Structures are given as C-alpha cells and as structure tokens.
Amino acid sequence: MVKKVAVVGAGCSGLPTIKCCLDEGLEPTCFERTEDIGGLWRFKENPEEGRASIYNSVISNTSKEMTCYSDFPMPEDYPNYMHNSKLLQYFRLYAEHFKLLQYIRFKTTVCSIRKRPDFSMTGQWDVTSECNGKQQTEIFDAVLICIGHHCTQNLPLHNFPGIENFKGQYLHSRQYKNPHPFKNKRIIVVGIGNTAVDLVVELSSVAKQVYLSTRRGAWIVNRVCDNGYPLDTVQSTRFNCIVQGMIPVLTNKLIESKINARVNHDNYGLTPQHRFLSQQPTVSDTLPNRIISGKVLLKTNVKRFTETDVIFEDGTVEKDIDVVIFATGYVFSLPFLEESVLKVQNNEISLYKMIFPPNLEKPTLGCIGYIQPSGAFMPIAEMQARWATRVFKGLHQLPLVEGMRKEITERKQKIQSRYFKSKRHTLQVGYVSYMDEIATEIGCKPDVRKVMLADPKLGWELFFGPCSPYQYRLFGPGKWKGARQAILTQMDRIIKPTKTRVLKNDDITQASLPFGFKPFGFKILGILMVFVAMYAMI
C-alpha cells in the first residue's frame, strides 16, 4: 500500500497536492529548491535557475472566485484580479490553515528519481535530493511532480538572422522585472501573448517608442466583461461550454463580432490568422488605448537584424533600436527523470488524462499542473492531485496500457484539430470540460439534472453561473459542507471589492446571465437556452 509520497515543488500545484495527500491519509514529503512557497507567483528581483520568474507588476488573468482552491475561498475583500503579492498571501493563508509547511523541506533540490530494482512488484522510487551540499537518497512509495512548465525560457535566436550582429540589448521576457531601465529607449517586443502585451503596455509609459512584433496576431479580450463582471465568471459556465461544443462556428462568429465591436482588430493590425476558439486569446484591458495613442505600434514578424536596425517581413524598417525583448514563451523538461519513464519532446509529454505516464508497471508517478487551460490553473491542479492520490491509495484503477495510449493519442488529435500547431498548445485543455472529466473519475462531478429538480436555486447557478471550483465539493469524495453556500454567495464576493462607494437604494443586484445573453437576442437565445438545458440533462 502507498503511504510515503514525494511531492516535488511547493508552488500553486505542490501546495494542494500536499493537502490532498493528507486528505487521503498519505504521508507527503515536499521538496522545494528555494527558501519559500509560491513558485511562479513569488516575485524576486533576480531570476533563479530552475524557477519561473515574473515581473513586478504581474496581475492574475483569472479572477479570485475561479482561481481559488475548491474548499478555501479567497477573502471577500480581495480584488477580483490579484497582484502577485496578493496571490502569494493567499498561498500563505492556505498553507497555514491546513498546516502544510511542516511537510516541506526548503532549499532542497531533487537530483534524481529512479525506479527501485523491485519496482515491478513494489512501485517504489529512489529519490535523491541535495540540501546544503549534501545528498541523500530515500525510498518513496509514490511521486508527484509539481514544478510546472514555465521554468526554462524558449529563446529561438536561430529564427532571427543577424541577431548576433545586433549592437543593442536583447533579452528574454524572463529577465524583465520593471520598466525603469528602459526609459527613453526604442524597444521592440517580439510575441503577442499575455506577457508580451503586458510588457509593451508597461514600457510604453517610459519608453521613447515601443513596437509589438507578431507573426500571427491575436484576439484581445478584457478582464472586465459584461456589466463589469470578471471575464471568466461570465465565460466559464456549463451553458457556454455546451453551446461552444454544439455550434463552434456560430460561437466563433458571435464572440469575434463582440470583440470587434469594442476594437476593430483589422483597423488595429491585430486580426489573427485563426478563429477565436483556435487559440487562447490575449488578455489586456489597456493595449488598444496605447495603440490609439501611438505609444505602441504593431509590426509584422521580424525578418532580420542589422547592427542597429530591424527589418520586418513586410519590408518596413525601424532604425536605431535600443532593446529587443523576446516574449517567446517557455519549454519544459524533467531532468531528474529517466527518459524511459517519461520523455519530453518538442514540448509534448505523453500522459494519461494529462497526469499519468502510461508505461509504468505500477501507477505510482503523476505529473500535476502540466496543462494550459482556457481558464484558471489552480483548481485544475488541485483536481488532478485529488484523483492522483486516490489512485495511489488504490481507490481507483487505471486502464491497461493500450487503453491509456489510445486516450493520449485521441487527446493529441483533438488538440491538433482545434488549435493551430504551436508549442504553446501541446498542453491545452478546456477548463469546464477537463474539470468535469477528472471529477467524473473521482466521483465528485455534480449531477446538474438532479440538482435542478431538488434544489432549483443551486441548479441554476451550477448550469448558468460561473463554474467555480466549489461545484466539485458538493458531492462525492472530499465533500465540503460549505460548498453550497460558497456558490450561492459568490456574486456577493465578486461585487464587494469593487463597491467601496455604497450607493442609496442599492438593494438590487443583477443576476448572472449566460455569456452573450443580451436583450437584442433574448428570444432566440432564450429558446436555445431551453433546448441546451434539456440536452445537458439527458
């Protein structure tokens, strides 16, 4: 029987993994190479080897009600979108509340994880770690890897001819911390993901001129959505998930029309080469304002560099460039594992349900957080850990090797058919669909049909409201008695931090409505809603 579990990393995946081990009566030992918890979300002035690195101004792109762990709501006075320091504070509250720190060995690096000679019988691992220059090897019954996939910068300089002759400064966005060193500079940022756009917006307040170079373009969405609610609380609902699955072409058309109604992407040079559902959108409330004021100028992909200038694929040239920042993402690796156990190739990793290597004689190793969700990350990592620990405990059985490999192949084919080919899409999952998928394995997915009949008020929120993590604590293993109340009061916690000026006659709060459910289409969407609800409950 599995008892001792090695957890690698004490970030936003490692912390809930420790708790899940404790919930199942297992004995976790967490190895954290730095001196503190928080992983990616703990800002440090200088990047550390082997650890994700963020800039000082980073704010979450997912809101607090969708980002929190499922049995520990964030304080009601927290802002909906949190600065990295606020999120780190939440991790500390979580770790203290569930008494997790005593299971973490800080300043301890995992050097290797190897199967024991009798692995086929015991499923045990030799884990070698190093602390203060001393190594030790210990035996563990199972291992959960939680170090994330934002540790190693992707800097493909070979794709940029002439960069070796460029006399200005160039760096990866991982090295960027704040805009002050770049005052009065002429800067090019390469990329159009969330980091790239954050950087051009911030730099444009101090730089002489900022250029944003993009190969494909992107759909730009606001954090602030309909009626001022956070985007993911409006968008990440079961209703929307079903509609998108039934009518993806129409969904693309409606969402793109809505986005272009705010900012015509053609006029701003932003229009991508793909439909909305074929890539994660880029989140920015400010980029269009910087473009319209001339502080940020859009450019095509870089063709080549000279000593001082940059030539773009459309033939235009920008002269006397001082700085180039490559916001070209990350690649990941698992250097402490043998390739026979798990191999990372072209930023792809073969895992059953995005968690388990399929070729082990005993399912005693799992990877937590190796996903790129269209929504909040932390609840998914927690859900993965809930299932993995129950598999370790023997409460759930995995399929045979052939079945797992078939699932891996089918998932990769679905990703390839929906998203354009890119390293950033190899780990892509839909938030609602994947949460439901793993919750089904655990036995904690809510039965919306039954809830609608027994508790209509709650059922309405489950289907049309935000698919918040609390939904997966209503029933089954890990049930939390506070889940129903957390769901029914989540709108109050969303509104509270924005309503710091209390108005008179303010007793009426707008109910949450499905994304795109507007008066001009009320009748059509109302009919569609009824049919979709009936479909979902069959």
Side-chain angles (χ1 to χ4, degrees):
M1 179 183 292
V2 169
K3 285 295 285 185
K4 295 179 60 179
V5 180
V7 177
V8 185
C12 62
S13 297
L15 291 176
T17 298
I18 299 170
K19 178 184 176 291
C20 290
C21 287
L22 298 173
D23 289 344
E24 296 299 336
L26 305 177
E27 300 172 4
T29 299
C30 179
F31 299 90
E32 169 55 47
R33 67 183 298 161
T34 70
E35 74 282 359
D36 202 357
I37 64 172
L40 178 149
W41 290 99
R42 182 165 56 85
F43 171 78
K44 294 203 75 173
E45 198 63 49
N46 297 308
E48 296 175 320
E49 182 183 356
R51 191 175 82 88
S53 179
I54 57 173
Y55 38 100
N56 190 40
S57 61
V58 167
I59 294 174
S60 64
N61 287 329
T62 55
S63 65
K64 66 175 183 178
E65 291 300 307
M66 303 298 289
T67 303
C68 67
Y69 298 122
S70 59
D71 57 356
F72 195 71
M74 292 193 185
E76 62 177 7
D77 62 340
Y78 269 36
N80 284 287
Y81 292 105
M82 295 153 289
H83 184 262
N84 58 83
S85 60
K86 188 68 73 172
L87 200 47
L88 180 60
Q89 186 181 64
Y90 172 72
F91 294 145
R92 298 198 193 286
L93 293 173
Y94 181 79
E96 291 168 7
H97 181 78
F98 293 108
K99 298 179 173 57
L100 306 180
L101 296 179
Q102 60 187 302
Y103 300 97
I104 304 174
R105 296 182 190 173
F106 292 106
K107 297 183 179 180
T108 304
T109 301
V110 171
C111 304
S112 70
I113 299 173
R114 298 286 184 266
K115 291 181 181 179
R116 285 188 57 75
D118 58 354
F119 181 86
S120 61
M121 295 294 294
T122 66
Q124 291 181 325
W125 301 85
D126 283 327
V127 177
T128 301
S129 61
E130 182 176 325
C131 181
N132 296 324
K134 296 180 180 179
Q135 287 194 359
Q136 67 170 332
T137 299
E138 300 166 89
I139 300 172
F140 286 91
D141 300 312
V143 176
L144 288 168
I145 300 170
C146 311
I147 61 173
H149 52 88
H150 291 96
C151 296
T152 305
Q153 65 188 32
N154 177 41
L155 190 56
L157 295 179
H158 60 277
N159 291 335
F160 298 94
I163 188 66
E164 67 278 4
N165 301 318
F166 181 62
K167 290 185 176 180
Q169 178 188 6
Y170 68 86
L171 64 151
H172 189 271
S173 57
R174 186 174 187 272
Q175 277 74 51
Y176 176 90
K177 293 299 175 179
N178 62 71
H180 306 307
F182 304 98
K183 186 175 181 180
N184 295 325
K185 303 286 188 180
R186 288 171 55 80
I187 304 169
I188 293 176
V189 176
V190 178
I192 198 168
N194 292 322
T195 297
V197 170
D198 279 355
L199 265 55
V200 297
V201 167
E202 186 167 88
L203 287 165
S204 66
S205 64
V206 300
K208 185 175 183 180
Q209 183 64 60
V210 179
Y211 302 92
L212 179 59
S213 170
T214 172
R215 180 173 48 186
R216 299 188 60 91
W219 295 106
I220 308 298
V221 297
N222 276 25
R223 289 181 176 89
V224 182
C225 195
D226 301 341
N227 298 310
Y229 292 129
L231 174 66
D232 53 0
T233 65
V234 177
Q235 211 168 37
S236 294
T237 70
R238 295 183 184 281
F239 175 87
N240 285 335
C241 184
I242 292 173
V243 169
Q244 289 178 13
M246 293 174 63
I247 47 173
V249 176
L250 180 58
T251 299
N252 274 321
K253 187 174 182 179
L254 289 173
I255 295 177
E256 290 168 11
S257 176
K258 182 181 178 70
I259 291 172
N260 278 320
R262 175 180 176 265
V263 176
N264 186 302
H265 279 46
D266 280 349
N267 293 346
Y268 279 62
L270 292 165
T271 302
Q273 301 172 17
H274 54 268
R275 303 304 300 270
F276 181 84
L277 295 179
S278 296
Q279 182 192 14
Q280 285 209 70
T282 296
V283 179
S284 177
D285 303 290
T286 316
L287 179 63
N289 298 334
R290 299 307 169 100
I291 295 174
I292 203 170
S293 63
K295 297 296 290 181
V296 174
L297 299 178
L298 266 289
K299 304 295 293 185
T300 59
N301 196 39
V302 172
K303 182 178 182 180
R304 63 184 175 89
F305 289 87
T306 68
E307 290 185 351
T308 58
D309 305 341
V310 178
I311 302 168
F312 297 91
E313 288 184 348
D314 62 358
T316 59
V317 180
E318 294 301 336
K319 295 182 176 297
D320 300 320
I321 297 301
D322 299 300
V323 181
V324 178
I325 301 177
F326 293 96
T328 44
Y330 293 83
V331 294
F332 68 95
S333 61
L334 302 170
F336 44 75
L337 275 180
E338 294 177 310
E339 287 192 353
S340 61
V341 173
L342 195 56
K343 184 178 182 180
V344 180
Q345 191 170 18
N346 297 322
N347 226 43
E348 283 190 306
I349 188 170
S350 294
L351 296 169
Y352 175 65
K353 301 286 187 182
M354 308 296 282
I355 302 173
F356 296 102
N359 58 339
L360 297 179
E361 301 95 316
K362 299 286 184 179
T364 56
L365 183 140
C367 296
I368 306 299
Y370 286 84
I371 39 91
Q372 185 69 49
S374 58
F377 175 90
M378 286 160 48
I380 293 183
E382 179 194 33
M383 185 71 77
Q384 290 181 320
R386 288 175 66 182
W387 185 38
T389 51
R390 291 179 64 79
V391 169
F392 291 168
K393 197 176 178 181
L395 298 173
H396 301 277
Q397 299 295 320
L398 300 184
L400 297 175
V401 173
E402 293 76 12
M404 289 193 281
R405 286 178 177 165
K406 180 182 178 183
E407 188 274 340
I408 292 168
T409 299
E410 290 175 350
R411 187 181 296 276
K412 288 182 178 180
Q413 289 172 346
K414 287 180 181 178
I415 290 174
Q416 291 169 1
S417 66
R418 173 170 173 175
Y419 301 97
F420 70 83
K421 187 175 182 180
S422 169
K423 287 183 177 180
R424 69 182 296 188
H425 292 145
T426 57
L427 305 175
Q428 199 74 34
V429 297
Y431 172 79
V432 177
S433 58
Y434 186 74
M435 287 285 279
D436 277 354
E437 179 182 347
I438 304 304
T440 299
E441 298 291 339
I442 298 170
C444 64
K445 178 187 173 184
D447 188 326
V448 179
R449 180 183 62 83
K450 288 184 179 179
V451 177
M452 278 283 194
L453 296 173
D455 190 345
K457 184 178 182 181
L458 178 61
W460 176 272
E461 287 296 325
L462 293 185
F463 192 65
F464 295 113
C467 189
S468 49
Y470 320 121
Q471 293 197 13
Y472 302 96
R473 292 286 184 177
L474 287 166
F475 311 102
K479 179 179 178 180
W480 173 48
K481 64 181 181 181
R484 182 181 186 276
Q485 183 65 15
I487 293 168
L488 297 180
T489 57
Q490 59 193 358
M491 196 58 66
D492 296 331
R493 291 190 299 279
I494 290 170
I495 294 171
K496 183 178 175 60
T498 62
K499 207 170 200 178
T500 54
R501 175 175 172 252
V502 180
L503 307 177
K504 294 182 179 180
N505 304 319
D506 199 25
D507 297 328
I508 301 175
T509 300
Q510 287 194 356
S512 57
L513 291 174
F515 186 59
F517 196 71
K518 293 293 184 182
F520 73 85
F522 189 92
K523 290 183 180 179
I524 295 175
L525 288 175
I527 294 170
L528 176 62
M529 180 181 70
V530 172
F531 280 108
V532 170
M534 291 173 62
Y535 170 83
M537 294 179 193
I538 295 175

